[in-house]
Amino acid sequence: GNLTNLTVLNLYYNLLTIIPPEIGNLTNLTVLNLSCNQLTGSIPPEIGNLTNLTNLKLHYNQLTGSIPSEIGNLTNLTSLYLTETQLTGSIPPEIGNLTNLTELYLRDNQFTGSIPPEIGNLTNLNGLYLYENELTGSIPPEIGNLTNLSYLYLSNNQLTGSIPPE
């Protein structure tokens, strides 16, 4: 937490086990990559202090709990990777604040509830990966706002209803 001038922190492919709350002190970070470790526990809400982040990679870990609503503070993010992290709960509506995102990887988790309509705010998305979760409800028509999408993966969920015309 004392390395406040860091802009890039890559600690991927190690055996790290915890994300300390002091990570929130590293407010100059633009890249945080803790993927492919053995991280357990939840994503600390202090991650929302990292407002300069453009790239957040926490995939391939054993994180539990839900995505903290503070993730919505990371409005400079262009890439968010939370693939195969064992996260639960619903996708927070604050994800709609991340309007600079081009890639959103939430696949292979245990997310429940519906796809938040706020996802339609992410008009710069090129790829939306929500497959292999436990999402329910219908596909929100707001997905039609994502006119830059090249990749849309919603398979292996429990979505119902019709495909919206949008």
PDB file of all heavy atoms in Angstrom, residues 93-131:
ATOM      1  N   PRO A  93     -25.655  -3.139 -10.934  1.00  0.00           N
ATOM      2  CA  PRO A  93     -26.039  -2.153 -11.957  1.00  0.00           C
ATOM      3  C   PRO A  93     -24.957  -1.104 -12.189  1.00  0.00           C
ATOM      4  O   PRO A  93     -24.878  -0.525 -13.270  1.00  0.00           O
ATOM      5  CB  PRO A  93     -27.318  -1.532 -11.404  1.00  0.00           C
ATOM      6  CG  PRO A  93     -27.392  -1.922  -9.980  1.00  0.00           C
ATOM      7  CD  PRO A  93     -26.559  -3.154  -9.802  1.00  0.00           C
ATOM      8  N   GLU A  94     -24.090  -0.900 -11.198  1.00  0.00           N
ATOM      9  CA  GLU A  94     -23.011   0.086 -11.337  1.00  0.00           C
ATOM     10  C   GLU A  94     -22.049  -0.263 -12.466  1.00  0.00           C
ATOM     11  O   GLU A  94     -21.279   0.587 -12.907  1.00  0.00           O
ATOM     12  CB  GLU A  94     -22.233   0.200 -10.011  1.00  0.00           C
ATOM     13  CG  GLU A  94     -23.001   0.839  -8.889  1.00  0.00           C
ATOM     14  CD  GLU A  94     -23.925  -0.110  -8.127  1.00  0.00           C
ATOM     15  OE1 GLU A  94     -23.974  -1.325  -8.471  1.00  0.00           O
ATOM     16  OE2 GLU A  94     -24.594   0.350  -7.196  1.00  0.00           O
ATOM     17  N   ILE A  95     -22.110  -1.505 -12.960  1.00  0.00           N
ATOM     18  CA  ILE A  95     -21.271  -1.887 -14.094  1.00  0.00           C
ATOM     19  C   ILE A  95     -21.577  -0.984 -15.295  1.00  0.00           C
ATOM     20  O   ILE A  95     -20.736  -0.745 -16.145  1.00  0.00           O
ATOM     21  CB  ILE A  95     -21.451  -3.391 -14.423  1.00  0.00           C
ATOM     22  CG1 ILE A  95     -20.188  -3.967 -15.054  1.00  0.00           C
ATOM     23  CG2 ILE A  95     -22.621  -3.658 -15.315  1.00  0.00           C
ATOM     24  CD1 ILE A  95     -19.397  -4.829 -14.154  1.00  0.00           C
ATOM     25  N   GLY A  96     -22.784  -0.449 -15.327  1.00  0.00           N
ATOM     26  CA  GLY A  96     -23.178   0.463 -16.398  1.00  0.00           C
ATOM     27  C   GLY A  96     -22.439   1.782 -16.393  1.00  0.00           C
ATOM     28  O   GLY A  96     -22.508   2.537 -17.377  1.00  0.00           O
ATOM     29  N   ASN A  97     -21.713   2.096 -15.310  1.00  0.00           N
ATOM     30  CA  ASN A  97     -20.906   3.321 -15.258  1.00  0.00           C
ATOM     31  C   ASN A  97     -19.615   3.200 -16.056  1.00  0.00           C
ATOM     32  O   ASN A  97     -18.952   4.195 -16.310  1.00  0.00           O
ATOM     33  CB  ASN A  97     -20.527   3.664 -13.808  1.00  0.00           C
ATOM     34  CG  ASN A  97     -21.719   3.963 -12.939  1.00  0.00           C
ATOM     35  OD1 ASN A  97     -22.822   4.167 -13.422  1.00  0.00           O
ATOM     36  ND2 ASN A  97     -21.496   3.992 -11.636  1.00  0.00           N
ATOM     37  N   LEU A  98     -19.246   1.989 -16.431  1.00  0.00           N
ATOM     38  CA  LEU A  98     -17.944   1.738 -17.052  1.00  0.00           C
ATOM     39  C   LEU A  98     -18.033   1.922 -18.570  1.00  0.00           C
ATOM     40  O   LEU A  98     -17.786   1.015 -19.352  1.00  0.00           O
ATOM     41  CB  LEU A  98     -17.455   0.333 -16.692  1.00  0.00           C
ATOM     42  CG  LEU A  98     -17.474  -0.011 -15.198  1.00  0.00           C
ATOM     43  CD1 LEU A  98     -16.971  -1.419 -14.959  1.00  0.00           C
ATOM     44  CD2 LEU A  98     -16.675   1.001 -14.398  1.00  0.00           C
ATOM     45  N   THR A  99     -18.365   3.118 -18.966  1.00  0.00           N
ATOM     46  CA  THR A  99     -18.706   3.388 -20.365  1.00  0.00           C
ATOM     47  C   THR A  99     -17.516   3.327 -21.317  1.00  0.00           C
ATOM     48  O   THR A  99     -17.717   3.364 -22.531  1.00  0.00           O
ATOM     49  CB  THR A  99     -19.403   4.753 -20.493  1.00  0.00           C
ATOM     50  OG1 THR A  99     -18.562   5.760 -19.924  1.00  0.00           O
ATOM     51  CG2 THR A  99     -20.751   4.738 -19.771  1.00  0.00           C
ATOM     52  N   ASN A 100     -16.299   3.232 -20.800  1.00  0.00           N
ATOM     53  CA  ASN A 100     -15.129   3.093 -21.672  1.00  0.00           C
ATOM     54  C   ASN A 100     -14.752   1.637 -21.929  1.00  0.00           C
ATOM     55  O   ASN A 100     -13.824   1.371 -22.688  1.00  0.00           O
ATOM     56  CB  ASN A 100     -13.924   3.835 -21.074  1.00  0.00           C
ATOM     57  CG  ASN A 100     -14.091   5.334 -21.178  1.00  0.00           C
ATOM     58  OD1 ASN A 100     -14.334   5.853 -22.260  1.00  0.00           O
ATOM     59  ND2 ASN A 100     -13.982   6.023 -20.061  1.00  0.00           N
ATOM     60  N   LEU A 101     -15.471   0.707 -21.303  1.00  0.00           N
ATOM     61  CA  LEU A 101     -15.145  -0.710 -21.484  1.00  0.00           C
ATOM     62  C   LEU A 101     -15.264  -1.124 -22.944  1.00  0.00           C
ATOM     63  O   LEU A 101     -16.246  -0.804 -23.618  1.00  0.00           O
ATOM     64  CB  LEU A 101     -16.088  -1.598 -20.675  1.00  0.00           C
ATOM     65  CG  LEU A 101     -15.779  -1.862 -19.218  1.00  0.00           C
ATOM     66  CD1 LEU A 101     -16.799  -2.832 -18.639  1.00  0.00           C
ATOM     67  CD2 LEU A 101     -14.381  -2.384 -18.995  1.00  0.00           C
ATOM     68  N   THR A 102     -14.263  -1.872 -23.395  1.00  0.00           N
ATOM     69  CA  THR A 102     -14.358  -2.526 -24.697  1.00  0.00           C
ATOM     70  C   THR A 102     -14.480  -4.036 -24.532  1.00  0.00           C
ATOM     71  O   THR A 102     -14.964  -4.709 -25.435  1.00  0.00           O
ATOM     72  CB  THR A 102     -13.142  -2.200 -25.591  1.00  0.00           C
ATOM     73  OG1 THR A 102     -11.945  -2.610 -24.940  1.00  0.00           O
ATOM     74  CG2 THR A 102     -13.086  -0.706 -25.891  1.00  0.00           C
ATOM     75  N   GLU A 103     -14.035  -4.560 -23.377  1.00  0.00           N
ATOM     76  CA  GLU A 103     -14.099  -6.000 -23.105  1.00  0.00           C
ATOM     77  C   GLU A 103     -14.612  -6.223 -21.695  1.00  0.00           C
ATOM     78  O   GLU A 103     -14.058  -5.679 -20.740  1.00  0.00           O
ATOM     79  CB  GLU A 103     -12.721  -6.642 -23.222  1.00  0.00           C
ATOM     80  CG  GLU A 103     -12.082  -6.512 -24.591  1.00  0.00           C
ATOM     81  CD  GLU A 103     -10.669  -7.063 -24.579  1.00  0.00           C
ATOM     82  OE1 GLU A 103      -9.843  -6.590 -23.777  1.00  0.00           O
ATOM     83  OE2 GLU A 103     -10.417  -7.984 -25.381  1.00  0.00           O
ATOM     84  N   LEU A 104     -15.646  -7.044 -21.578  1.00  0.00           N
ATOM     85  CA  LEU A 104     -16.202  -7.402 -20.275  1.00  0.00           C
ATOM     86  C   LEU A 104     -16.328  -8.912 -20.202  1.00  0.00           C
ATOM     87  O   LEU A 104     -17.180  -9.515 -20.861  1.00  0.00           O
ATOM     88  CB  LEU A 104     -17.559  -6.732 -20.068  1.00  0.00           C
ATOM     89  CG  LEU A 104     -18.278  -7.049 -18.747  1.00  0.00           C
ATOM     90  CD1 LEU A 104     -17.415  -6.687 -17.543  1.00  0.00           C
ATOM     91  CD2 LEU A 104     -19.617  -6.324 -18.689  1.00  0.00           C
ATOM     92  N   TYR A 105     -15.445  -9.524 -19.416  1.00  0.00           N
ATOM     93  CA  TYR A 105     -15.397 -10.972 -19.259  1.00  0.00           C
ATOM     94  C   TYR A 105     -15.899 -11.339 -17.867  1.00  0.00           C
ATOM     95  O   TYR A 105     -15.185 -11.154 -16.883  1.00  0.00           O
ATOM     96  CB  TYR A 105     -13.964 -11.495 -19.411  1.00  0.00           C
ATOM     97  CG  TYR A 105     -13.438 -11.492 -20.817  1.00  0.00           C
ATOM     98  CD1 TYR A 105     -12.861 -10.358 -21.362  1.00  0.00           C
ATOM     99  CD2 TYR A 105     -13.501 -12.635 -21.593  1.00  0.00           C
ATOM    100  CE1 TYR A 105     -12.363 -10.357 -22.654  1.00  0.00           C
ATOM    101  CE2 TYR A 105     -13.003 -12.657 -22.888  1.00  0.00           C
ATOM    102  CZ  TYR A 105     -12.436 -11.504 -23.409  1.00  0.00           C
ATOM    103  OH  TYR A 105     -11.952 -11.523 -24.689  1.00  0.00           O
ATOM    104  N   LEU A 106     -17.114 -11.876 -17.787  1.00  0.00           N
ATOM    105  CA  LEU A 106     -17.688 -12.344 -16.522  1.00  0.00           C
ATOM    106  C   LEU A 106     -18.069 -13.815 -16.629  1.00  0.00           C
ATOM    107  O   LEU A 106     -18.848 -14.310 -15.827  1.00  0.00           O
ATOM    108  CB  LEU A 106     -18.919 -11.502 -16.154  1.00  0.00           C
ATOM    109  CG  LEU A 106     -18.697 -10.001 -15.975  1.00  0.00           C
ATOM    110  CD1 LEU A 106     -19.995  -9.310 -15.610  1.00  0.00           C
ATOM    111  CD2 LEU A 106     -17.629  -9.720 -14.938  1.00  0.00           C
ATOM    112  N   ARG A 107     -17.530 -14.519 -17.567  1.00  0.00           N
ATOM    113  CA  ARG A 107     -17.920 -15.903 -17.827  1.00  0.00           C
ATOM    114  C   ARG A 107     -17.413 -16.855 -16.755  1.00  0.00           C
ATOM    115  O   ARG A 107     -16.483 -16.549 -16.016  1.00  0.00           O
ATOM    116  CB  ARG A 107     -17.440 -16.359 -19.204  1.00  0.00           C
ATOM    117  CG  ARG A 107     -15.949 -16.523 -19.328  1.00  0.00           C
ATOM    118  CD  ARG A 107     -15.579 -17.099 -20.700  1.00  0.00           C
ATOM    119  NE  ARG A 107     -14.157 -17.260 -20.849  1.00  0.00           N
ATOM    120  CZ  ARG A 107     -13.470 -18.316 -20.414  1.00  0.00           C
ATOM    121  NH1 ARG A 107     -14.078 -19.298 -19.786  1.00  0.00           N
ATOM    122  NH2 ARG A 107     -12.167 -18.393 -20.599  1.00  0.00           N
ATOM    123  N   ASP A 108     -18.049 -18.033 -16.709  1.00  0.00           N
ATOM    124  CA  ASP A 108     -17.629 -19.117 -15.814  1.00  0.00           C
ATOM    125  C   ASP A 108     -17.572 -18.695 -14.351  1.00  0.00           C
ATOM    126  O   ASP A 108     -16.550 -18.832 -13.693  1.00  0.00           O
ATOM    127  CB  ASP A 108     -16.264 -19.680 -16.229  1.00  0.00           C
ATOM    128  CG  ASP A 108     -16.335 -20.507 -17.487  1.00  0.00           C
ATOM    129  OD1 ASP A 108     -17.211 -21.372 -17.563  1.00  0.00           O
ATOM    130  OD2 ASP A 108     -15.515 -20.276 -18.391  1.00  0.00           O
ATOM    131  N   ASN A 109     -18.674 -18.152 -13.868  1.00  0.00           N
ATOM    132  CA  ASN A 109     -18.822 -17.822 -12.465  1.00  0.00           C
ATOM    133  C   ASN A 109     -20.139 -18.412 -11.993  1.00  0.00           C
ATOM    134  O   ASN A 109     -20.669 -19.332 -12.616  1.00  0.00           O
ATOM    135  CB  ASN A 109     -18.765 -16.301 -12.255  1.00  0.00           C
ATOM    136  CG  ASN A 109     -17.349 -15.774 -12.298  1.00  0.00           C
ATOM    137  OD1 ASN A 109     -16.577 -16.005 -11.385  1.00  0.00           O
ATOM    138  ND2 ASN A 109     -17.006 -15.069 -13.370  1.00  0.00           N
ATOM    139  N   GLN A 110     -20.688 -17.875 -10.940  1.00  0.00           N
ATOM    140  CA  GLN A 110     -21.972 -18.332 -10.420  1.00  0.00           C
ATOM    141  C   GLN A 110     -22.915 -17.154 -10.242  1.00  0.00           C
ATOM    142  O   GLN A 110     -23.683 -17.090  -9.293  1.00  0.00           O
ATOM    143  CB  GLN A 110     -21.757 -19.075  -9.097  1.00  0.00           C
ATOM    144  CG  GLN A 110     -20.894 -20.308  -9.250  1.00  0.00           C
ATOM    145  CD  GLN A 110     -20.388 -20.830  -7.916  1.00  0.00           C
ATOM    146  OE1 GLN A 110     -21.008 -20.637  -6.875  1.00  0.00           O
ATOM    147  NE2 GLN A 110     -19.254 -21.506  -7.935  1.00  0.00           N
ATOM    148  N   PHE A 111     -22.851 -16.200 -11.182  1.00  0.00           N
ATOM    149  CA  PHE A 111     -23.721 -15.033 -11.096  1.00  0.00           C
ATOM    150  C   PHE A 111     -25.172 -15.442 -11.264  1.00  0.00           C
ATOM    151  O   PHE A 111     -25.498 -16.288 -12.099  1.00  0.00           O
ATOM    152  CB  PHE A 111     -23.351 -13.993 -12.151  1.00  0.00           C
ATOM    153  CG  PHE A 111     -22.014 -13.353 -11.910  1.00  0.00           C
ATOM    154  CD1 PHE A 111     -21.005 -13.439 -12.849  1.00  0.00           C
ATOM    155  CD2 PHE A 111     -21.762 -12.662 -10.736  1.00  0.00           C
ATOM    156  CE1 PHE A 111     -19.776 -12.857 -12.631  1.00  0.00           C
ATOM    157  CE2 PHE A 111     -20.533 -12.071 -10.503  1.00  0.00           C
ATOM    158  CZ  PHE A 111     -19.540 -12.167 -11.453  1.00  0.00           C
ATOM    159  N   THR A 112     -26.036 -14.836 -10.466  1.00  0.00           N
ATOM    160  CA  THR A 112     -27.469 -15.106 -10.505  1.00  0.00           C
ATOM    161  C   THR A 112     -28.202 -13.799 -10.785  1.00  0.00           C
ATOM    162  O   THR A 112     -27.594 -12.730 -10.856  1.00  0.00           O
ATOM    163  CB  THR A 112     -27.948 -15.697  -9.166  1.00  0.00           C
ATOM    164  OG1 THR A 112     -27.597 -14.795  -8.119  1.00  0.00           O
ATOM    165  CG2 THR A 112     -27.325 -17.065  -8.906  1.00  0.00           C
ATOM    166  N   GLY A 113     -29.510 -13.908 -10.917  1.00  0.00           N
ATOM    167  CA  GLY A 113     -30.312 -12.722 -11.194  1.00  0.00           C
ATOM    168  C   GLY A 113     -30.291 -12.402 -12.669  1.00  0.00           C
ATOM    169  O   GLY A 113     -29.784 -13.176 -13.488  1.00  0.00           O
ATOM    170  N   SER A 114     -30.830 -11.269 -12.990  1.00  0.00           N
ATOM    171  CA  SER A 114     -30.949 -10.899 -14.402  1.00  0.00           C
ATOM    172  C   SER A 114     -29.750 -10.065 -14.856  1.00  0.00           C
ATOM    173  O   SER A 114     -28.992  -9.535 -14.038  1.00  0.00           O
ATOM    174  CB  SER A 114     -32.250 -10.137 -14.627  1.00  0.00           C
ATOM    175  OG  SER A 114     -32.270  -8.994 -13.804  1.00  0.00           O
ATOM    176  N   ILE A 115     -29.618  -9.968 -16.155  1.00  0.00           N
ATOM    177  CA  ILE A 115     -28.611  -9.085 -16.744  1.00  0.00           C
ATOM    178  C   ILE A 115     -29.117  -7.663 -16.518  1.00  0.00           C
ATOM    179  O   ILE A 115     -30.221  -7.327 -16.937  1.00  0.00           O
ATOM    180  CB  ILE A 115     -28.436  -9.359 -18.249  1.00  0.00           C
ATOM    181  CG1 ILE A 115     -27.968 -10.802 -18.483  1.00  0.00           C
ATOM    182  CG2 ILE A 115     -27.475  -8.365 -18.878  1.00  0.00           C
ATOM    183  CD1 ILE A 115     -28.008 -11.243 -19.940  1.00  0.00           C
ATOM    184  N   PRO A 116     -28.334  -6.812 -15.838  1.00  0.00           N
ATOM    185  CA  PRO A 116     -28.853  -5.468 -15.550  1.00  0.00           C
ATOM    186  C   PRO A 116     -29.037  -4.655 -16.828  1.00  0.00           C
ATOM    187  O   PRO A 116     -28.185  -4.691 -17.721  1.00  0.00           O
ATOM    188  CB  PRO A 116     -27.782  -4.856 -14.645  1.00  0.00           C
ATOM    189  CG  PRO A 116     -26.541  -5.614 -14.921  1.00  0.00           C
ATOM    190  CD  PRO A 116     -26.976  -6.998 -15.327  1.00  0.00           C
ATOM    191  N   PRO A 117     -30.145  -3.931 -16.938  1.00  0.00           N
ATOM    192  CA  PRO A 117     -30.364  -3.118 -18.142  1.00  0.00           C
ATOM    193  C   PRO A 117     -29.281  -2.064 -18.342  1.00  0.00           C
ATOM    194  O   PRO A 117     -29.032  -1.629 -19.469  1.00  0.00           O
ATOM    195  CB  PRO A 117     -31.731  -2.486 -17.918  1.00  0.00           C
ATOM    196  CG  PRO A 117     -32.058  -2.691 -16.483  1.00  0.00           C
ATOM    197  CD  PRO A 117     -31.236  -3.837 -15.996  1.00  0.00           C
ATOM    198  N   GLU A 118     -28.599  -1.680 -17.257  1.00  0.00           N
ATOM    199  CA  GLU A 118     -27.534  -0.679 -17.349  1.00  0.00           C
ATOM    200  C   GLU A 118     -26.384  -1.141 -18.241  1.00  0.00           C
ATOM    201  O   GLU A 118     -25.564  -0.333 -18.671  1.00  0.00           O
ATOM    202  CB  GLU A 118     -26.990  -0.356 -15.943  1.00  0.00           C
ATOM    203  CG  GLU A 118     -27.957   0.387 -15.057  1.00  0.00           C
ATOM    204  CD  GLU A 118     -28.978  -0.491 -14.338  1.00  0.00           C
ATOM    205  OE1 GLU A 118     -28.969  -1.734 -14.549  1.00  0.00           O
ATOM    206  OE2 GLU A 118     -29.793   0.054 -13.577  1.00  0.00           O
ATOM    207  N   ILE A 119     -26.348  -2.429 -18.560  1.00  0.00           N
ATOM    208  CA  ILE A 119     -25.317  -2.947 -19.457  1.00  0.00           C
ATOM    209  C   ILE A 119     -25.415  -2.250 -20.821  1.00  0.00           C
ATOM    210  O   ILE A 119     -24.440  -2.139 -21.543  1.00  0.00           O
ATOM    211  CB  ILE A 119     -25.394  -4.486 -19.561  1.00  0.00           C
ATOM    212  CG1 ILE A 119     -24.015  -5.070 -19.763  1.00  0.00           C
ATOM    213  CG2 ILE A 119     -26.323  -4.961 -20.636  1.00  0.00           C
ATOM    214  CD1 ILE A 119     -23.632  -6.128 -18.802  1.00  0.00           C
ATOM    215  N   GLY A 120     -26.599  -1.746 -21.124  1.00  0.00           N
ATOM    216  CA  GLY A 120     -26.804  -1.016 -22.374  1.00  0.00           C
ATOM    217  C   GLY A 120     -26.047   0.294 -22.457  1.00  0.00           C
ATOM    218  O   GLY A 120     -25.942   0.888 -23.533  1.00  0.00           O
ATOM    219  N   ASN A 121     -25.505   0.772 -21.328  1.00  0.00           N
ATOM    220  CA  ASN A 121     -24.700   2.001 -21.330  1.00  0.00           C
ATOM    221  C   ASN A 121     -23.298   1.776 -21.885  1.00  0.00           C
ATOM    222  O   ASN A 121     -22.589   2.733 -22.172  1.00  0.00           O
ATOM    223  CB  ASN A 121     -24.540   2.553 -19.905  1.00  0.00           C
ATOM    224  CG  ASN A 121     -25.851   2.947 -19.283  1.00  0.00           C
ATOM    225  OD1 ASN A 121     -26.851   3.134 -19.958  1.00  0.00           O
ATOM    226  ND2 ASN A 121     -25.864   3.071 -17.965  1.00  0.00           N
ATOM    227  N   LEU A 122     -22.899   0.518 -22.018  1.00  0.00           N
ATOM    228  CA  LEU A 122     -21.516   0.190 -22.398  1.00  0.00           C
ATOM    229  C   LEU A 122     -21.364   0.168 -23.917  1.00  0.00           C
ATOM    230  O   LEU A 122     -21.006  -0.840 -24.517  1.00  0.00           O
ATOM    231  CB  LEU A 122     -21.115  -1.146 -21.770  1.00  0.00           C
ATOM    232  CG  LEU A 122     -21.346  -1.260 -20.264  1.00  0.00           C
ATOM    233  CD1 LEU A 122     -20.923  -2.620 -19.748  1.00  0.00           C
ATOM    234  CD2 LEU A 122     -20.641  -0.143 -19.516  1.00  0.00           C
ATOM    235  N   THR A 123     -21.615   1.292 -24.527  1.00  0.00           N
ATOM    236  CA  THR A 123     -21.704   1.360 -25.985  1.00  0.00           C
ATOM    237  C   THR A 123     -20.369   1.177 -26.698  1.00  0.00           C
ATOM    238  O   THR A 123     -20.356   1.028 -27.914  1.00  0.00           O
ATOM    239  CB  THR A 123     -22.344   2.692 -26.413  1.00  0.00           C
ATOM    240  OG1 THR A 123     -21.591   3.769 -25.848  1.00  0.00           O
ATOM    241  CG2 THR A 123     -23.792   2.764 -25.943  1.00  0.00           C
ATOM    242  N   ASN A 124     -19.259   1.173 -25.961  1.00  0.00           N
ATOM    243  CA  ASN A 124     -17.954   0.925 -26.584  1.00  0.00           C
ATOM    244  C   ASN A 124     -17.564  -0.549 -26.556  1.00  0.00           C
ATOM    245  O   ASN A 124     -16.507  -0.910 -27.075  1.00  0.00           O
ATOM    246  CB  ASN A 124     -16.865   1.749 -25.882  1.00  0.00           C
ATOM    247  CG  ASN A 124     -16.998   3.220 -26.188  1.00  0.00           C
ATOM    248  OD1 ASN A 124     -17.094   3.606 -27.344  1.00  0.00           O
ATOM    249  ND2 ASN A 124     -17.027   4.046 -25.148  1.00  0.00           N
ATOM    250  N   LEU A 125     -18.413  -1.390 -25.963  1.00  0.00           N
ATOM    251  CA  LEU A 125     -18.072  -2.816 -25.858  1.00  0.00           C
ATOM    252  C   LEU A 125     -17.898  -3.454 -27.220  1.00  0.00           C
ATOM    253  O   LEU A 125     -18.742  -3.314 -28.103  1.00  0.00           O
ATOM    254  CB  LEU A 125     -19.160  -3.591 -25.110  1.00  0.00           C
ATOM    255  CG  LEU A 125     -19.092  -3.681 -23.601  1.00  0.00           C
ATOM    256  CD1 LEU A 125     -20.176  -4.619 -23.092  1.00  0.00           C
ATOM    257  CD2 LEU A 125     -17.743  -4.101 -23.085  1.00  0.00           C
ATOM    258  N   ASN A 126     -16.796  -4.192 -27.332  1.00  0.00           N
ATOM    259  CA  ASN A 126     -16.564  -5.049 -28.487  1.00  0.00           C
ATOM    260  C   ASN A 126     -16.915  -6.488 -28.152  1.00  0.00           C
ATOM    261  O   ASN A 126     -17.381  -7.228 -29.004  1.00  0.00           O
ATOM    262  CB  ASN A 126     -15.104  -4.937 -28.924  1.00  0.00           C
ATOM    263  CG  ASN A 126     -14.770  -5.832 -30.074  1.00  0.00           C
ATOM    264  OD1 ASN A 126     -14.224  -6.920 -29.870  1.00  0.00           O
ATOM    265  ND2 ASN A 126     -15.100  -5.409 -31.271  1.00  0.00           N
ATOM    266  N   GLY A 127     -16.695  -6.874 -26.882  1.00  0.00           N
ATOM    267  CA  GLY A 127     -16.970  -8.242 -26.447  1.00  0.00           C
ATOM    268  C   GLY A 127     -17.660  -8.271 -25.100  1.00  0.00           C
ATOM    269  O   GLY A 127     -17.215  -7.626 -24.152  1.00  0.00           O
ATOM    270  N   LEU A 128     -18.775  -9.002 -25.031  1.00  0.00           N
ATOM    271  CA  LEU A 128     -19.527  -9.198 -23.789  1.00  0.00           C
ATOM    272  C   LEU A 128     -19.652 -10.692 -23.568  1.00  0.00           C
ATOM    273  O   LEU A 128     -20.317 -11.395 -24.333  1.00  0.00           O
ATOM    274  CB  LEU A 128     -20.908  -8.549 -23.884  1.00  0.00           C
ATOM    275  CG  LEU A 128     -21.842  -8.739 -22.690  1.00  0.00           C
ATOM    276  CD1 LEU A 128     -21.222  -8.198 -21.414  1.00  0.00           C
ATOM    277  CD2 LEU A 128     -23.186  -8.069 -22.963  1.00  0.00           C
ATOM    278  N   TYR A 129     -18.996 -11.178 -22.511  1.00  0.00           N
ATOM    279  CA  TYR A 129     -18.897 -12.607 -22.236  1.00  0.00           C
ATOM    280  C   TYR A 129     -19.548 -12.903 -20.893  1.00  0.00           C
ATOM    281  O   TYR A 129     -18.937 -12.696 -19.846  1.00  0.00           O
ATOM    282  CB  TYR A 129     -17.428 -13.044 -22.226  1.00  0.00           C
ATOM    283  CG  TYR A 129     -16.698 -12.702 -23.509  1.00  0.00           C
ATOM    284  CD1 TYR A 129     -16.072 -11.468 -23.669  1.00  0.00           C
ATOM    285  CD2 TYR A 129     -16.654 -13.607 -24.559  1.00  0.00           C
ATOM    286  CE1 TYR A 129     -15.415 -11.151 -24.847  1.00  0.00           C
ATOM    287  CE2 TYR A 129     -15.997 -13.301 -25.742  1.00  0.00           C
ATOM    288  CZ  TYR A 129     -15.384 -12.065 -25.878  1.00  0.00           C
ATOM    289  OH  TYR A 129     -14.738 -11.763 -27.050  1.00  0.00           O
ATOM    290  N   LEU A 130     -20.781 -13.371 -20.931  1.00  0.00           N
ATOM    291  CA  LEU A 130     -21.533 -13.681 -19.705  1.00  0.00           C
ATOM    292  C   LEU A 130     -21.889 -15.153 -19.619  1.00  0.00           C
ATOM    293  O   LEU A 130     -22.689 -15.551 -18.780  1.00  0.00           O
ATOM    294  CB  LEU A 130     -22.829 -12.846 -19.662  1.00  0.00           C
ATOM    295  CG  LEU A 130     -22.685 -11.332 -19.684  1.00  0.00           C
ATOM    296  CD1 LEU A 130     -24.050 -10.666 -19.636  1.00  0.00           C
ATOM    297  CD2 LEU A 130     -21.821 -10.858 -18.532  1.00  0.00           C
ATOM    298  N   TYR A 131     -21.326 -15.978 -20.467  1.00  0.00           N
ATOM    299  CA  TYR A 131     -21.739 -17.382 -20.522  1.00  0.00           C
ATOM    300  C   TYR A 131     -21.242 -18.174 -19.325  1.00  0.00           C
ATOM    301  O   TYR A 131     -20.344 -17.768 -18.608  1.00  0.00           O
ATOM    302  CB  TYR A 131     -21.333 -18.030 -21.846  1.00  0.00           C
ATOM    303  CG  TYR A 131     -19.875 -18.140 -22.159  1.00  0.00           C
ATOM    304  CD1 TYR A 131     -19.162 -19.296 -21.847  1.00  0.00           C
ATOM    305  CD2 TYR A 131     -19.206 -17.117 -22.812  1.00  0.00           C
ATOM    306  CE1 TYR A 131     -17.824 -19.416 -22.171  1.00  0.00           C
ATOM    307  CE2 TYR A 131     -17.864 -17.230 -23.140  1.00  0.00           C
ATOM    308  CZ  TYR A 131     -17.178 -18.379 -22.815  1.00  0.00           C
ATOM    309  OH  TYR A 131     -15.850 -18.495 -23.148  1.00  0.00           O
TER     310      TYR A 131
END
